[in-house]
């Protein structure tokens, strides 16, 4: 950890040759997703400031081929090997090299570049993003699960390599900007805001019965399905507090959460002299993505502008841990340590998948995750992973155990009986 809050030193990515600025070369991991597409839109509108070396996606060869063509990438990698033929066909007649399978995503991450945008959803992003970091790339990180699953290993690697992990997540990006390079000893605490999601005003009983369609209906943000479900239960805010803990090197006791339905103030930095700086912007992910892409310079973008007079009123409330137990479970995991963030992250992915598949109720997500943490502690398997390899081993083990718990229909309060 260092004075800049544990995020590694500034690496000058933009090179200047013969007085003219070279374009910054970028790899986009998760190029077909919500963040990936916003990244592609910024790059396409930036008039040659960026060149895209490689793009990677999960399972959709047609969407990946489209973004690879549009951005003129040299290499397109699809995680799903079954999509190879379609990807190859869709890019025939171009000079874009194609590959498929999980290793090809790592290959894309390692393609020579100035910056890698980590925008894969979930733990699938850990290995390729870590590979990029280990190769000394500056990483613009949206994929918060990397830090929740293996935060110490990521931060250690960034420090060893002297590279920066730039936060794309809007709250962390706002906080990073509001910190303005202040040392942690001048910061009293850091606040992350949460929109409160679609269930902010719902009763506990109503939330328990929420359907995937209702959970996917976020009031302020349009995002991929996993993060949208995480947001609805405030698990996303729990993951983000864990992300902030590792990213800024600040202890859990100095991190807090405020519900702010307008999503205008994304983060607050409270200094020891009573001063507070706020990171504000319209709720548009293009703002933090553009900030990371051109850091430390500023791009001119078409991202939404903030009109405070039109917003009128900004409101803030404390989170309700009774109606949103996932936030409590995540904060407890961070405070307890012993690898519980890794365990929570793994169990949560399985639980969200089961909820989206209509196999469990909304409240079962937090119950299943808490049960995974409690059982791991009781069975003596909970421990801090010493490396990414250990974190991924723990991740696999917890996924198996969580799937088994689902199959056994064995949640403590018989809550899986509420499955529909
Ligand atoms: P998404 O579901 O829209 O997109 C995920 C992307 O990852 C897709 O391109 C998918 O093809 C790809 N992918 C999945 N598995 C893969 C694999 N094994 N290898 C390579 N690519 C794979 O998700 P999103 O909303 O764009 O979120 C991406 C990440 O950014 C998540 O970690 C999320 O928490 C974070 N984030 C998103 C937002 C947002 O507004 N969408 C905001 C903050 C943080
Ligand atoms: Mg966020």
């Amino acid at each position: 950890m260092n004075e800049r809050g544990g995020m590694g030193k500034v690496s000058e990515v933009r090179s200047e040759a013969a007085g003219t600025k070279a374009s910054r070369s970028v790899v986009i991991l998760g190029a077909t997703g919500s963040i990936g597409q916003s990244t592609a839109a910024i790059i396409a509108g930036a008039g040659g400031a960026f060149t895209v070396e490689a793009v990677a996606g999960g399972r959709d060869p047609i969407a990946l081929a489209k973004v690879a063509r549009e951005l003129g990438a040299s290499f397109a990698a699809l995680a799903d090997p079954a999509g190879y033929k379609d990807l190859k066909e869709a890019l025939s007649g171009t000079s874009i090299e194609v590959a498929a399978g999980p290793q090809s995503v790592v290959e894309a991450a390692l393609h020579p570049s100035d910056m890698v945008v980590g925008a894969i959803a979930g733990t699938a992003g850990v290995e390729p993003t870590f590979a990029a970091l280990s190769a000394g790339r500056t990483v613009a990180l949206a994929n918060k699960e990397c830090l929740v699953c293996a935060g110490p290993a990521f931060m250690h690697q960034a420090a060893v390599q002297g590279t920066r992990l730039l936060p794309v997540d809007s709250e962390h990006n706002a906080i990073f900007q509001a910190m303005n390079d202040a040392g942690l000893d001048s910061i009293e605490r850091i606040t992350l805001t949460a929109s409160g999601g679609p269930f902010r005003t719902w009763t506990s009983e109503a939330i328990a019965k929420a359907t995937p369609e209702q959970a996917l209906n976020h009031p302020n943000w349009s995002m991929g399905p996993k993060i949208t479900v995480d947001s609805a239960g405030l698990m996303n805010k729990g993951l983000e507090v864990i992300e902030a803990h590792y990213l800024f090197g600040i202890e859990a006791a100095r991190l807090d959460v405020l519900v702010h339905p307008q999503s205008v103030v994304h983060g607050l930095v409270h200094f020891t002299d009573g001063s507070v700086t706020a990171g504000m912007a319209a709720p548009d992910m293009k703002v933090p993505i553009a900030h990371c892409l051109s850091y430390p310079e500023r791009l001119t973008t078409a991202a939404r502008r903030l009109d405070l007079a039109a917003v009128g009123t900004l409101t803030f409330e404390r989170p309700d841990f009774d109606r949103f137990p996932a936030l409590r479970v995540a904060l407890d995991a961070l405070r307890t340590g012993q690898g519980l963030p890794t365990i929570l992250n793994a169990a949560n992915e399985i639980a969200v998948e089961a909820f989206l598949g209509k196999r469990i109720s909304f409240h079962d997500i937090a119950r299943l995750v808490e049960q995974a943490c409690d059982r791991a502690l009781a069975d003596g398997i909970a421990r801090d992973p010493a490396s990414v390899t250990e974190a991924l081993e723990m991740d696999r083990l917890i996924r198996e155990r969580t799937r088994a718990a689902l199959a056994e229909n064995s949640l403590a309060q018989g809550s899986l009986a509420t499955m529909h």
Side-chain angles (χ1 to χ4, degrees), residues 144 169-171 236-237 240:
K144 66 194 78 178
D169 212 346
S170 54
E171 297 76 5
N236 182 53
K237 212 48 53 183
E240 289 185 352

Side-chain angles (χ1 to χ4, degrees), residues 94-164:
T94 74
S95 59
I96 303 170
E97 200 190 326
V98 305
Q103 269 319 108
S104 72
V105 178
V106 175
E107 211 185 306
L110 292 174
H111 228 73
S113 72
D114 294 322
M115 176 178 281
V116 174
V117 178
I120 294 175
T123 309
V126 170
E127 201 189 343
T129 312
F130 190 71
L133 196 63
S134 305
R137 304 287 187 273
T138 298
V139 173
L141 188 71
N143 189 185
K144 66 194 78 178
E145 293 89 348
C146 287
L147 290 179
V148 183
C149 173
F154 269 72
M155 298 318 295
H156 177 72
Q157 193 58 233
V160 166
Q161 295 291 337
T163 53
R164 245 191 203 278

Side-chain angles (χ1 to χ4, degrees), residues 122-123 126 141-155 165 169 172 226 230 235-247 330-331 333-334 337-349 369 384-385 391-392 394-395:
T123 309
V126 170
L141 188 71
N143 189 185
K144 66 194 78 178
E145 293 89 348
C146 287
L147 290 179
V148 183
C149 173
F154 269 72
M155 298 318 295
L165 262 177
D169 212 346
H172 306 72
K226 195 235 165 206
D230 284 343
M235 178 61 89
N236 182 53
K237 212 48 53 183
L239 300 179
E240 289 185 352
V241 171
I242 298 171
E243 179 186 15
H245 162 72
Y246 292 126
L247 194 59
L331 297 183
L334 176 59
Q338 299 184 55
L340 287 193
T342 312
I343 291 164
L344 167 113
N345 181 62
N348 181 53
E349 278 195 36
V369 171
D384 272 326
L392 290 175
M394 177 68 82
D395 179 87

Side-chain angles (χ1 to χ4, degrees), residues 343-366:
I343 291 164
L344 167 113
N345 181 62
N348 181 53
E349 278 195 36
I350 298 300
V352 170
E353 216 174 81
F355 169 71
L356 286 173
K358 301 199 171 180
R359 288 183 285 131
I360 60 171
S361 76
F362 192 75
H363 266 2
D364 287 334
I365 299 175

Side-chain angles (χ1 to χ4, degrees), residues 278-313:
M280 300 169 77
D284 180 349
M285 285 308 295
K286 289 202 183 79
V287 177
I289 296 169
H291 176 255
C292 291
L293 280 176
S294 61
Y295 185 84
E297 293 173 31
R298 297 272 178 185
L299 275 180
T300 302
T301 74
R304 270 171 70 187
R305 297 300 191 254
L306 176 59
D307 180 348
L308 280 175
V311 178
T313 307

